[in-house]
Structures are given as structure tokens and as C-alpha cells.
Amino acid sequence: MRKLIFGLFIAVLPALGLAAGAGVPLDHIETDHTDKQSLQSGAALFTNYCMGCHSMEYARYKRVADDLEVPVALYEENLIFTGAKIGELMKNSMSKDMAAGWFGAPPPDLTLESRLRGEAWVYSYLRGFYKDETRPLGVNNVVFANVGMPHVMVDLQGLCAVPPSIGVGASVEPLSGNVKNGDACPEYAIEGSMTAAEFDKAMYDLTNFLSYMADPVKVERERLGIFVLIFVAIFFVFAYLLNREYWKDVH
Ligand code: HEC
């Protein structure tokens, strides 16, 4: 009995771990790895805005180009800035030690980031920057308090003047009919080139891309899974008939 109770306790441990991770409210996101256009635009954003600091060193350019259906020559020309060959790992040349000196913490590799933190966390984090003069870089983040990363997409989003309301969702005030929290950020200190909706879509694409990088075989796995289940269902009929045949003389 004691063993059983101990076994049950071990079984629920991972669930407790997850519960502890969900501290801040997050905006939900439904990623779609079959949406190649979204993944391509995410890859372009990542290469242009993130890869100077963050590597993806557990993946190869070639694999990404093939999966995203980008011709190799086009990929090499537009999405590799380091002079690397298409078959190489997606590394960058930032020194971890020097970066730690500049930002307080080195920018981590992001290949598995969406598995580590969750897609909702990444999506919310990317939209969670706001102006905070008390921080060394003048910005803070509602999802990652006192983050060392600068707001690198300020030219796209602009800079939110107050902490944006992430994880609250839009609602309609019953008396006035006004929409509350339609946009996460109500007021900007610096205007960006995108509208709030455009930026949300861009961050959806970027999160979709990060989610694909962390699990590149997801689409293939799910496709195969259906065939495996069909096989198991058909095999069950034969296994059942065989079992009946074996036992028919045993009373
Ligand atoms: C100028 C360098 C720089 C650029 C460019 C940059 N980051 Fe960062 N990023 C950092 C640093 C430094 C940290 C670590 C912050 C800390 O731990 O306080 C970080 C942290 C992160 C984290 C959190 C990692 C974790 O789990 O602790 C994510 C996610 C992230 N960056 C995504 C991005 C994305 C997506 C882009 C491109 C839009 C990007 N970063 C561009 C420097 C950068």
C-alpha cells in the first residue's frame, strides 16, 4: 500500500511542477505548423531581429529551408548573414561572456525556448515590453520582470508607455459599449511602423516559428499517428478473432 501511495505521488509530481510555472497571466496562442507563410514570415523576423544575439544551434539552415519550402538559393541569399553554409548549424558569433557583461545575462539559445517556457509565454513576452526609466535599457517586461533584453522591435511596435495588459482579453463595457483592452497597449511613448493588430500578427508568426523550431517533426508525427491508429484498429479485429480461435476449446 505504501508503495502504491508513493507511486501515485511520483506520478502527480510533473503536474505540480507545471502549476508552479503559471505565475503571470498570459495571452493564449494556437500555433499552426502547416501554415508555411506564417512560418516563413517568422523565420524572416527571427533572422533580422533576433539572430544577432540568439542562436538556434540545435538546428540546421537546410532543414528549415526544406520544411518551410524556401528554395535553398533564396534562403542563402536572404536569411543567412553570417556567411555560414546552408548545411551548417544556426549559430551566431556573439561571445557569451561579453554579452553577459552588456546585458547582465547572455542571450540564451532559442531552439527549444517554446518547449521550455510554453508558446503562450513566448507570445506574451514578445508583446510585453514597456517603458521603464528605472531600468538600465529604459524598458521592462510584464511577463519577465527586470529582463536584460532590450526592446529590439521598437521600430515595429513602438514603445508602450505603461505596462501592457497581457492575459486580460478584450471586453465590452455594458453601459458605454466601449471596448476595453482591445489592444494590449493603450498608450505609446514612441510610435512604431505597425498597428497593434499587425504587430500581434507578426508576433504570432514569430512564436509559430519558434514553436516549429522546438518541434520540427510535429506535422509528420501527427500524420503518421493517424495511420498507426488505423493499423491498430484493423489489427485488433484479427487479434480478437485469433484469441477466440485459441480459447474456443478451453472450458
Ligand atoms: C541585443 C541582443 C538581443 C536581441 C537582438 C534579442 N534578444 Fe532576446 N534576450 C537577450 C538577452 C540578453 C536575454 C536574457 C535576458 C535575461 O535573462 O534577463 C534575452 C532573453 C530572451 C528570451 C527569454 C529567454 C528565457 O527563457 O530566459 C526570449 C524568449 C527572447 N530573448 C526572445 C527574443 C526574440 C524572439 C528576439 C527577436 C525578436 C530577441 N530575443 C532579440 C538579448 C537579445
Side-chain angles (χ1 to χ4, degrees):
M1 189 64 190
R2 214 186 294 162
K3 260 191 195 156
L4 186 72
I5 294 177
F6 185 68
L8 278 175
F9 179 70
I10 296 282
V12 297
L13 264 185
L16 292 179
L18 271 185
V24 278
L26 301 171
D27 278 341
H28 182 68
I29 175 175
E30 202 66 57
T31 54
D32 177 4
H33 297 187
T34 61
D35 187 347
K36 304 281 180 206
Q37 213 180 347
S38 157
L39 293 179
Q40 286 168 1
S41 114
L45 277 168
F46 186 81
T47 315
N48 284 298
Y49 285 92
C50 320
M51 232 183 139
C53 293
H54 294 281
S55 58
M56 284 267 192
E57 63 185 29
Y58 302 104
R60 286 181 197 279
Y61 293 108
K62 176 80 168 67
R63 168 82 201 245
V64 178
D66 289 348
D67 283 354
L68 269 51
E69 293 168 3
V70 180
V72 166
L74 203 66
Y75 197 103
E76 271 181 322
E77 203 178 307
N78 296 299
L79 294 176
I80 302 181
F81 300 146
T82 54
K85 301 259 179 343
I86 189 84
E88 284 182 38
L89 294 168
M90 298 171 69
K91 295 185 174 178
N92 63 10
S93 46
M94 178 165 284
S95 139
K96 291 250 183 295
D97 291 341
M98 284 171 85
W102 297 330
F103 305 113
D109 185 90
L110 292 185
T111 324
L112 296 170
E113 178 70 11
S114 86
R115 290 226 206 163
L116 174 71
R117 298 278 197 177
E119 292 162 357
W121 188 93
V122 173
Y123 179 59
S124 305
Y125 168 74
L126 293 174
R127 293 157 53 254
F129 285 93
Y130 64 94
K131 183 174 168 172
D132 181 352
E133 295 295 354
T134 64
R135 299 289 307 152
L137 299 171
V139 293
N140 210 331
N141 191 294
V142 282
V143 177
F144 190 149
N146 298 337
V147 70
M149 174 169 143
H151 184 19
V152 293
M153 291 172 294
V154 70
D155 61 324
L156 304 179
Q157 184 191 23
L159 181 61
C160 198
V162 292
S165 38
I166 301 282
V168 184
S171 60
V172 179
E173 275 181 39
L175 289 181
S176 63
N178 292 339
V179 178
K180 246 174 74 178
N181 291 323
D183 299 330
C185 177
E187 181 193 337
Y188 290 90
I190 302 172
E191 289 293 328
S193 63
M194 287 182 167
T195 64
E198 281 168 351
F199 186 73
D200 282 356
K201 172 69 175 71
M203 291 310 100
Y204 171 87
D205 293 343
L206 185 50
T207 312
N208 203 15
F209 175 69
L210 286 170
S211 156
Y212 149 75
M213 290 302 279
D215 192 1
V217 290
K218 186 175 177 204
V219 175
E220 178 64 7
R221 191 175 64 233
E222 287 174 356
R223 195 185 66 84
L224 267 181
I226 292 174
F227 288 109
V228 171
L229 287 179
I230 293 173
F231 171 77
V232 169
I234 296 174
F235 182 74
F236 172 76
V237 176
F238 292 102
Y240 175 74
L241 291 177
L242 190 65
N243 182 62
R244 219 172 52 172
E245 188 63 25
Y246 278 164
W247 287 90
K248 78 169 182 249
D249 296 329
V250 181
H251 297 293

